[in-house]
Amino acid sequence: MERSIDSAEGARRVEWPRRAVVTAGMPYGNKALHFGHIGGVFVPADAFARFLRDRIGPENVRFVSGTDCFGSPIDEGYRKLVEAGEFEGSVADYVRKNHEAQKRTLDAYGISLTVFEGSGIGHSGDVHQLISEKFIEKLHENGWLHLQSTLQFYDTQAQTFLNGRQVVGRCPVQGCKSEHGYADECDLGHQYAPADLIAPVSSVTGTVPEMRPVENWYFDLPAFADFLRARVAEMEADPEVRAVVPQTVKEFLAPPVVYIKNEAEEAYRAVADRLPAHRFRAAEAGKQSFEIEFDDIAARDEARGVLAEAGIRFRTGKALVPFRITGNIEWGVKAPVMDGVEGLTVWCWPESLWAPISFTMAANDEMGLPRTSWRDFWCSPDAQVYQFIGQDNLYFYGVAQPALIEALRPGDILVPGETDRPLRQTMLVANHHVLFGTKKASSSGAVKPPSADELLEHYTAEQLRAHFLALGLDQRSVGFKPKPYDPDEKKREDPRVADPVLKEGALLTNVFNRLARSCLYEAGKNFEGYMPLGAPTPAVVERAHAALHAYDETMHRVELHAVMSLADEFIRFANKHWTDGIRAAELEGDAPARRQVLVDSFYLLRVATLMMHPIVPFGTEKICDCLNFEFEEFFSWNYDFDGMDELCGAAEIDEGRHRVRDLPPRFDFFERHPSQTK
């Protein structure tokens, strides 16, 4: 049946995939979730996943994530707590404890994941180990991995190699202001060679570490430059791809460049003939550095050695560099033995890029579906994978992941009985930073953000969900400014100062509550506890269809702040229609008009509740329950939306009414937080 919202005159039919996977990144297993995890990634992903379940059917949607169990931040966090006597147990115990805390937080915010286990936890962890081995072996068989000897930091005092987070310095990438550069990436996501880190210090002993050679497998990412350029062109031509995605990917497709301070030009000239072929570009007006550009990474790396030997300080630009696949720390996914090289683990970033595949497999396993069914979600032409990420991670998801997927042949990741279908590229839904006030917040930085749990001491989960979605992070970085955390004590204590976080909450606790209560109280008072059935006013149906179609199109672009605006406008329209209509009917003493207003208003309430369901699921499901409908029927888009009759049985339609539940006095579908009623 073709729905009327899709077939209305002049309306563009919105094409949705038959099946979909939604992912929400992977929080590190070394900490609780802060507000950025929830507001910047998990709430937007959850709202979209809930919408897809309503739109294409819950059986066709997998919403997957899990704790990132491995990586140097976890090793370092565990080491510090053990040394301080604040934790007893193994690193696995430490990760499990943090994972369970993360899951409790996600549950409190209504994050409806199909599976939330981890890269080393539960059935997902078992599947992930197998898939990681298969993925890496196929990359090797296809000729895209090479063994490379590189230098790794070694603490001579502690007599140990240092993992990525046990070395701290300044980021060497030109233009980056980060003071939190680690072994080979900074906290803003820039990648570089460990030897380029400026002023490295061991966080284990506080000494300057030396460099010692180690061998690891690297993926030939530079070989995929042309593929990535073509992909950028496709994304730039697609109006539904957020501009930040191709813009960021393009930054890594520039030729390899080295930046040298102007005052070192004479020293550069003295060694220029020893450098590989390059192009010199004088500093632009007002710039402090000139540039030398090379044809490839190998030439740039050769030049780095010459410049370093001559004592010339430099910074490197963003470029495609070989992508590290394995590492030398013990706590990690075990890497397969290839060409006799053993004892390695997988670097946490590459394995996190294919972890959503592992999680989808695990979710389907737990549902009792055939193992092959994961390919219906990841390989089928009528399926789509939506990856919600922060903009800092676009190098990994927008550069490395597409190249890794392209490097696989059709059928590389198969189980017996499957057909040869290639993995499909994913759709990146990248959000800008959610700031704390006016500054970027980081749990490792100077500005300490509130944890997601702490926020629930001041707000309800639905107040926060609505506010986070209204921020417009798809457009720009936006400040989150909760009044209880305002640094100005006078503003915190002044009742006349509004709390920005409660703007959207007022729509819920005032307008939406009033609409739902009014309909149900009127049914109980004047219609014997029944919803009257019949055709809504044509103008009301037209308005609802227009709103639903606009909502559908806006969701397709994943513009969640605009979805909030549409729903806000529609709820206010529905509430006004009720208020104006019932007042006029009462003034005229017109019983048929009174009945028609209630027919219209229940219909408008149904549409408003459907639109708000992905945003505030707890309250909307209370409304559905009080209207006495089944959730899967009420929250489905598979209707014409011409009236309430289509949700009712034949006997109810013949009788012209549908029984609703009695509503207690002053019942709230959307409650204020107890702290807001003092």
Side-chain angles (χ1 to χ4, degrees):
M1 177 175 63
E2 187 174 83
R3 293 172 291 278
S4 56
I5 61 161
D6 293 323
S7 57
E9 185 177 352
R12 180 182 70 86
R13 183 175 178 83
V14 178
E15 296 291 339
W16 289 100
R18 184 178 177 185
R19 297 180 187 86
V21 175
V22 179
T23 79
M26 297 173 67
Y28 274 131
N30 64 334
K31 65 185 71 174
L33 301 179
H34 63 68
F35 81 91
H37 293 124
I38 293 294
V41 179
F42 275 106
V43 166
D46 182 69
F48 191 68
R50 286 179 179 274
F51 166 76
L52 285 175
R53 291 189 190 110
D54 293 346
R55 192 66 172 90
I56 65 175
E59 70 281 2
N60 296 317
V61 180
R62 302 290 181 269
F63 179 23
V64 298
S65 181
T67 300
D68 196 342
C69 298
F70 306 110
S72 55
I74 294 165
D75 271 357
E76 184 65 358
Y78 171 69
R79 182 189 68 82
K80 288 180 177 178
L81 286 181
V82 170
E83 284 187 358
E86 298 176 14
F87 187 83
E88 294 182 0
S90 67
V91 64
D93 296 332
Y94 170 68
V95 171
R96 171 72 72 169
K97 178 176 177 289
N98 288 320
H99 165 76
E100 290 172 353
Q102 291 172 358
K103 190 174 189 310
R104 286 193 298 270
T105 302
L106 294 170
D107 289 342
Y109 278 86
I111 308 302
S112 57
L113 287 152
T114 311
V115 65
F116 183 76
E117 291 183 328
S119 51
I121 293 174
H123 182 56
S124 293
D126 296 337
V127 174
H128 188 57
Q129 176 66 52
L130 295 173
I131 293 304
S132 296
E133 292 173 5
K134 175 75 75 172
F135 217 104
I136 293 170
E137 287 169 351
K138 290 301 180 181
L139 291 174
H140 181 256
E141 288 178 19
N142 295 347
W144 298 116
L145 296 187
H146 60 271
L147 200 60
Q148 184 173 321
S149 179
T150 60
L151 297 175
Q152 185 170 332
F153 289 107
Y154 184 85
D155 189 316
T156 56
Q157 183 173 319
Q159 296 186 342
T160 184
F161 280 104
L162 300 174
N163 66 44
R165 290 299 174 102
Q166 291 176 328
V167 184
V168 181
R170 297 197 306 275
C171 179
V173 174
Q174 175 70 10
C176 181
K177 305 297 184 183
S178 174
E179 296 293 322
H180 294 280
Y182 303 108
D184 51 10
E185 65 171 321
C186 74
D187 62 348
L188 297 180
H190 297 140
Q191 301 287 295
Y192 43 80
D196 290 343
L197 181 66
I198 299 171
V201 174
S202 167
S203 64
V204 176
T205 63
T207 60
V208 176
E210 65 180 40
M211 304 295 290
R212 294 191 178 182
V214 294
E215 282 193 328
N216 274 296
W217 291 105
Y218 282 75
F219 172 65
D220 190 4
L221 184 57
F224 290 83
D226 289 342
F227 161 74
L228 290 169
R229 289 189 184 97
R231 182 165 166 78
V232 163
E234 291 176 2
M235 290 191 292
E236 287 179 324
D238 187 342
E240 295 195 352
V241 175
R242 295 178 180 178
V244 68
V245 177
Q247 287 170 1
T248 302
V249 174
K250 281 176 71 173
E251 293 174 2
F252 293 92
L253 300 180
V257 171
V258 169
Y259 298 86
I260 303 173
K261 292 284 189 181
N262 293 333
E263 56 263 32
E265 183 172 347
E266 185 176 340
Y268 152 74
R269 296 288 183 189
V271 299
D273 59 348
R274 293 169 49 199
L275 300 176
H278 62 277
R279 291 162 291 284
F280 170 86
R281 280 196 290 272
E284 298 178 2
K287 298 290 186 180
Q288 298 180 347
S289 301
F290 62 90
E291 304 174 11
I292 52 176
E293 180 185 300
F294 299 88
D295 290 332
D296 53 44
I297 286 294
R300 190 198 71 174
D301 288 348
E302 182 182 341
R304 283 175 39 233
V306 174
L307 294 171
E309 183 181 346
I312 299 172
R313 289 186 58 182
F314 59 88
R315 287 191 177 231
T316 53
K318 297 177 183 178
L320 292 182
V321 298
F323 186 61
R324 182 159 63 95
I325 297 296
T326 62
N328 305 85
I329 62 176
E330 183 178 348
W331 175 245
V333 173
K334 304 303 179 186
V337 177
M338 300 182 301
D339 295 349
V341 179
E342 56 185 351
L344 300 178
T345 51
V346 186
W347 185 37
C348 65
W349 263 113
E351 49 100 349
S352 71
L353 299 179
W354 56 72
I357 300 175
S358 307
F359 295 162
T360 305
M361 288 182 177
N364 285 3
D365 287 349
E366 290 173 9
M367 292 177 178
L369 298 173
R371 172 60 62 85
T372 58
S373 63
W374 75 274
R375 296 183 65 82
D376 293 334
F377 291 85
W378 279 88
C379 305
S380 177
D382 58 3
Q384 181 63 274
V385 178
Y386 302 87
Q387 294 197 128
F388 284 72
I389 59 172
Q391 68 177 69
D392 285 353
N393 293 333
L394 274 170
Y395 168 76
F396 297 103
Y397 290 96
V399 179
Q401 186 194 60
L404 287 168
I405 290 175
E406 180 68 11
L408 295 177
R409 300 187 183 114
D412 272 351
I413 309 299
L414 286 175
V415 297
E418 293 183 303
T419 56
D420 292 353
R421 291 185 296 182
L423 284 172
R424 299 194 65 209
Q425 294 290 346
T426 66
M427 178 175 178
L428 298 181
V429 186
N431 277 339
H432 292 265
H433 299 301
V434 52
L435 308 175
F436 185 42
T438 59
K439 298 180 180 179
K440 184 184 177 187
S442 168
S443 55
S444 59
V447 181
K448 300 298 182 185
S451 72
D453 291 338
E454 288 170 339
L455 286 177
L456 294 176
E457 297 173 7
H458 304 280
Y459 306 98
T460 68
E462 298 204 309
Q463 287 173 331
L464 289 165
R465 286 176 65 101
H467 181 66
F468 285 137
L469 293 174
L471 285 177
L473 295 172
D474 58 308
Q475 304 289 312
R476 65 195 185 285
S477 295
V478 183
F480 174 59
K481 302 175 181 179
K483 185 179 176 181
Y485 295 89
D486 194 310
D488 188 330
E489 184 178 355
K490 290 183 179 179
K491 289 183 179 179
R492 287 201 309 269
E493 301 299 328
D494 190 342
R496 297 170 299 177
V497 176
D499 188 339
V501 177
L502 294 179
K503 178 184 176 184
E504 295 75 25
L507 172 73
L508 304 175
T509 57
N510 295 338
V511 188
F512 204 3
N513 261 340
R514 188 183 309 125
L515 174 64
R517 282 196 303 242
S518 297
C519 290
L520 286 158
Y521 285 147
E522 174 67 14
K525 180 181 177 182
N526 293 307
F527 290 84
E528 300 177 325
Y530 286 89
M531 171 197 301
L533 300 179
T537 305
V540 166
V541 175
E542 183 178 354
R543 178 66 181 263
H545 283 194
L548 285 169
H549 186 79
Y551 181 101
D552 201 39
E553 284 192 321
T554 306
M555 268 295 190
H556 201 269
R557 299 191 297 271
V558 202
E559 294 177 354
L560 299 176
H561 71 291
V563 164
M564 271 297 301
S565 296
L566 282 167
D568 184 308
E569 181 183 359
F570 187 79
I571 290 169
R572 294 183 190 280
F573 160 76
N575 189 65
K576 187 175 187 303
H577 183 83
W578 159 260
T579 302
D580 292 348
I582 199 65
R583 182 185 298 119
E586 287 178 344
L587 286 174
E588 296 292 331
D590 189 337
R594 188 183 200 101
R595 186 182 192 281
Q596 185 62 49
V597 169
L598 194 55
V599 168
D600 289 351
S601 297
F602 268 120
Y603 168 74
L604 291 170
L605 176 62
R606 171 204 177 182
V607 173
T609 305
L610 178 69
M611 293 169 71
M612 290 296 288
H613 184 226
I615 300 162
V616 283
F618 303 145
T620 51
E621 288 175 6
K622 287 181 187 177
I623 293 174
C624 174
D625 185 60
C626 288
L627 293 180
N628 202 19
F629 291 112
E630 296 294 330
F631 286 178
E632 286 198 10
E633 291 293 315
F634 188 82
F635 293 114
S636 171
W637 284 66
N638 194 30
Y639 287 98
D640 287 326
F641 295 101
D642 288 335
M644 300 301 290
D645 294 31
E646 58 191 358
L647 290 173
C648 299
E652 292 177 312
I653 294 172
D654 290 342
E655 193 177 349
R657 60 183 189 172
H658 166 79
R659 182 70 180 176
V660 295
R661 302 189 193 281
D662 294 333
L663 200 64
R666 302 188 61 80
F667 181 81
D668 282 330
F669 295 98
F670 304 97
E671 299 178 356
R672 291 177 173 83
H673 190 275
S675 67
Q676 298 159 16
T677 59
K678 295 179 181 178

